[in-house]
Amino acid sequence: MTKAELILQLKQQIIEQLNLEEVSVTDIEDEAPLFGEGLGLDSIDALELIVLLESEYDIHLDNPKEGKEIFHSVASLSEFILQYQHS
Amino acid sequence: MSVFITGLGVTSALGCSYEENLAQLKLGNSGLKEHVLHDSSCIMGCVPKSNLEIVGAFNLSNQAYSRSFLLGLCAAYQARTSVSSKLPSRMGLIVGITVGGMDLTEASYQQYIENKEKLDWLRLRQHPSGMVATQLAQFLEDIKFTNTISTACSSGANAIMHGAKLIEKGKFDCMLVGGVDALTQFTIKGFQSLMLYDKQACKPFDEARNGLNLGEGSAFLLLESERSQRATGNKILAKLVGWANTNDAYHATAPSPVGEGATRAMSAALKMAGIAPEAIGYINAHGTGTLNNDLSESRALLDVFSHQVPPFSSTKSFTGHTLGAAGAIEAAFCVMALQQQQCWANLNFTQPITDTKLTPISILKDAQKLNFVLSNSFGFGGNNTSLVMSL
Amino acid sequence: MTSQIISYCRIKNDGVILNDRPLPYDTSSLKQWYQGLSIHYPKFHKMDRYSQLVFLGVEELWTQIRPAIDFEASISMIFANSNSCIHTDMGFYKTLEKNRPSPSLFVYTLPNIMMGELSIRHQWKGEQFFFILPKFDAIFYYNYTNLQFEIGKKFALVGWVEQTGQQLDLLLYFISNSSVTGPISIAHTIEELNKLYTI
């Protein structure tokens, strides 16, 4: 899977996992922050993203603090997943 | 109208009676230990008595009971029998609870899966949150009505507050009020999924705190009006003199970062009690040990007490977080503090939170003259309750 | 001062009644109802069904009376049902069995979260209790609401919020114990409460 494909897939998965009904794939910019201003996600959404990483990518995060940088944007999330898969 | 606390019963990881709990609080021995529940192994606060032992002690019929009911029974029976057997009127019973009979449902389901046996509907009927109150009323006999309150971790405190209101407004003369919750896989895994469950014993108010441990237990307080107490002559253990419930209106789980709702709850309870903040000699904090709660509660304490925070501690370092029971168990510990003129320790504390620099009492402290104590209970959904008790 | 029910909303499978008039929404599609309200509140989509139902019902009630009321300080919320959030409990249990417990579902298994959501939406910061009752109990609601008025509250938002199987059974109403009036005015009595419930 290319990075572009992964980014698209992640956007779809995020919308589904977090029930972002009023958001479409094109609304999410690759580099825009997911939390705070951007999509307005909150701490529970961050935990749901951790569940998403586990169930879809078999990546286990133990410490919610680790999530902060990883979940900054879809781009950072995709980089983390690619790195993980290659390591 | 005054609200007197004349009876008390408590069951927690520290023991199954008032005396056992008091002894462990004085010794500074935590009840938190590694236990296994279904497939979860973690630090919990388990009541040191099995269901069978409780069933035997109360001569209950040979059927399965939810642990929530059995723990509630231990505490409610103690509270009721610690005073004169004759009350001037039948009591109201209010139970704060979150999981109901879920422990029995989980056990039954497990057996169903493993043995492929039929489900036992008699067991599943104990699932709803309201069943514990119904079962307690059947056992205790002199209960006029029952109520159940489910407001997350403030349930037990809210049950006490509701009972106090009914007495204060002259609606009832005697109320048995408290909280109960058993440990379940549901809640343990739920808090783990929120990444709020510490793998070690919790460290409330410590810079290195990393979450809570769940516990189980129950506490009940017998509340009497002046009229009732005059008739019974029951010894007054303490008075309930202030209470308030507020909402953060901030987030479903996270408390307001500045402790806004907590500040309002404490201030309103103090105002109702008609005392200045400096009159408070001990605070039993909510202090779950999570990053958010302890920081936000610390800020609220600084706010309410103008940076001169009285001795405070979180006894969840002894019992674990007992959810619906927590507010009631901690109110019971506050009554014990008034009775003993001692403030309980906050275990596992080494370093204050950098931001707020508050240091809880980390060893048992004798009080000079403990007249007023405050107990905080804050729940998900932004539900905050503060109770003020006095000698 | 006598207290008055100033706005009510009854939600069942066969429709929604707001102050004696049916609303054109089908309770099988809460999203459609939400869209009909023309508001922007993305959090709605993340709520469980209990919170969504209560959110929508109160949104309808509130638009009817908002201009008249300064609620914040003196409103009490009194909610109840008999089965807590059992539907959401089962949803969470399913994720548990798959060994992927959902944190957001876990949060909504607490019945008072629906009141917390209303608090966040409307910035109502007053007292709120969630009771578990064997069934809808007009006497309980009547007595408890009056107790709140006795201790100085001016308004109450009262709710019965039940889902059993596929059956929806909700009654939400505002009561005023002040000179503030609403689109309707029904005497706050046990009889009238029972009448509203049997609509």
Side-chain angles (χ1 to χ4, degrees), chain B residues 109 148 150 165 171 380, chain C residues 97 112 127 130 132 148 150:
Chain B
Y109 182 63
T148 299
S150 184
K165 261 198 246 171
K171 310 288 177 198
F380 281 174
Chain C
E97 287 204 298
N112 64 305
E127 188 177 310
F130 196 103
I132 307 289
Q148 292 304 98
E150 271 183 57

Side-chain angles (χ1 to χ4, degrees), chain B residues 160-379:
Chain B
I160 295 171
M161 174 171 160
H162 181 31
K165 261 198 246 171
L166 290 171
I167 288 187
E168 201 228 356
K169 287 290 159 202
K171 310 288 177 198
F172 290 92
D173 281 318
C174 319
M175 300 288 302
L176 192 57
V177 295
V180 53
D181 258 330
L183 283 161
T184 64
Q185 179 170 236
F186 190 99
T187 41
I188 289 175
K189 296 218 164 153
F191 279 97
Q192 284 172 342
S193 81
L194 290 168
M195 296 203 162
L196 293 177
Y197 207 109
D198 198 336
K199 291 191 171 106
Q200 272 117 39
C202 63
K203 299 179 271 296
F205 296 105
D206 193 281
E207 175 67 11
R209 71 200 178 283
N210 197 22
L212 52 74
N213 315 117
L214 289 184
E216 61 180 359
S218 175
F220 279 89
L221 277 57
L222 182 70
L223 306 182
E224 286 188 76
S225 67
E226 282 177 64
R227 184 170 50 190
S228 169
Q229 192 276 335
R230 228 179 293 129
T232 58
N234 288 330
K235 187 184 168 209
I236 299 165
L237 301 175
K239 292 176 217 156
L240 259 170
V241 292
W243 52 80
N245 172 268
T246 67
N247 196 278
D248 265 355
Y250 177 72
H251 185 265
T253 58
S256 142
V258 291
E260 199 258 337
T263 299
R264 276 187 293 114
M266 285 189 268
S267 304
L270 290 171
K271 189 177 164 205
M272 181 185 169
I275 56 170
E278 51 269 28
I280 296 289
Y282 168 64
I283 301 167
N284 190 303
H286 185 55
T288 54
T290 63
L291 293 176
N292 278 338
N293 176 79
D294 293 6
L295 180 59
S296 129
E297 188 172 9
S298 295
R299 285 178 175 153
L301 288 172
L302 287 168
D303 218 5
V304 173
F305 294 94
S306 316
H307 291 259
Q308 290 181 312
V309 180
F312 73 99
S313 65
S314 164
T315 47
K316 290 188 175 73
S317 53
F318 284 87
T319 59
H321 189 352
T322 55
L323 302 178
I329 289 177
E330 287 156 27
F333 289 174
C334 282
V335 175
M336 292 179 184
L338 286 167
Q339 284 282 310
Q340 303 293 317
Q341 292 289 299
Q342 282 179 318
C343 309
W344 314 125
N346 185 108
L347 304 176
N348 311 326
F349 176 84
T350 44
Q351 200 190 347
I353 299 171
T354 317
D355 245 29
T356 49
K357 299 186 180 60
L358 282 182
T359 301
I361 33 174
S362 51
I363 50 167
L364 180 72
K365 185 177 179 302
D366 289 320
Q368 292 301 327
K369 187 80 192 78
L370 199 53
N371 281 324
F372 290 94
V373 299
L374 174 77
S375 180
N376 282 340
S377 298
F378 308 142

Side-chain angles (χ1 to χ4, degrees), chain A residues 18-20 40-41 45, chain C residues 42-48 52 108:
Chain A
L18 305 184
N19 298 318
L20 305 176
L41 304 188
D45 294 315
Chain C
K43 183 81 208 293
F44 171 81
H45 304 291
K46 300 185 192 178
M47 297 176 188
D48 75 338
Q52 285 191 337
Y108 285 104

Side-chain angles (χ1 to χ4, degrees), chain C residues 122-139:
Chain C
H122 301 284
Q123 289 299 299
W124 293 331
K125 299 179 175 181
E127 188 177 310
Q128 47 185 251
F129 279 19
F130 196 103
F131 292 91
I132 307 289
L133 305 173
K135 57 182 189 337
F136 177 83
D137 183 348
I139 298 172

Side-chain angles (χ1 to χ4, degrees), chain C residues 21-182:
Chain C
R21 288 198 304 271
L23 290 180
Y25 302 119
D26 179 353
T27 47
S28 61
S29 172
L30 298 184
K31 196 173 159 186
Q32 227 169 37
W33 185 357
Y34 169 81
Q35 284 164 345
L37 287 169
S38 313
I39 50 170
H40 179 68
Y41 199 73
K43 183 81 208 293
F44 171 81
H45 304 291
K46 300 185 192 178
M47 297 176 188
D48 75 338
R49 197 168 154 81
Y50 293 91
S51 285
Q52 285 191 337
L53 283 161
V54 163
F55 178 93
L56 293 169
V58 170
E59 208 66 25
E60 296 286 356
L61 290 178
W62 187 231
T63 46
Q64 301 272 319
I65 49 181
R66 176 168 28 206
I69 296 178
D70 167 26
F71 254 104
E72 202 208 274
S74 60
I75 188 174
S76 262
M77 274 190 233
I78 305 155
F79 276 43
N81 72 10
S82 52
N83 289 301
S84 188
C85 292
I86 191 143
H87 281 258
T88 309
D89 288 358
M90 292 193 289
F92 175 69
Y93 209 88
K94 275 181 197 152
T95 68
L96 249 189
E97 287 204 298
K98 285 187 219 145
N99 217 9
R100 301 264 184 262
S102 159
S104 58
L105 277 176
F106 177 63
V107 171
Y108 285 104
T109 64
L110 293 160
N112 64 305
I113 298 292
M114 57 185 98
M115 296 187 291
E117 292 288 8
L118 294 175
S119 288
I120 296 167
R121 165 71 176 154
H122 301 284
Q123 289 299 299
W124 293 331
K125 299 179 175 181
E127 188 177 310
Q128 47 185 251
F129 279 19
F130 196 103
F131 292 91
I132 307 289
L133 305 173
K135 57 182 189 337
F136 177 83
D137 183 348
I139 298 172
F140 171 81
Y141 279 121
Y142 176 79
N143 286 335
Y144 190 75
T145 308
N146 283 343
L147 183 69
Q148 292 304 98
F149 293 150
E150 271 183 57
I151 60 175
K153 314 281 178 186
K154 292 275 179 281
F155 301 98
L157 168 59
V158 186
W160 171 258
V161 185
E162 189 64 284
Q163 292 189 68
T164 40
Q166 292 304 311
Q167 290 298 310
L168 291 182
D169 179 16
L170 286 88
L171 174 63
L172 301 158
Y173 56 94
F174 274 108
I175 306 187
S176 162
N177 190 43
S178 72
S179 55
V180 169
T181 55

Side-chain angles (χ1 to χ4, degrees), chain B residues 39 82 90 94 100 121 127 156 214 258 276 327 340 353 366:
Chain B
D39 59 347
S82 64
R90 292 167 76 206
I94 304 176
W121 292 105
H127 181 90
L214 289 184
V258 291
Q340 303 293 317
I353 299 171
D366 289 320

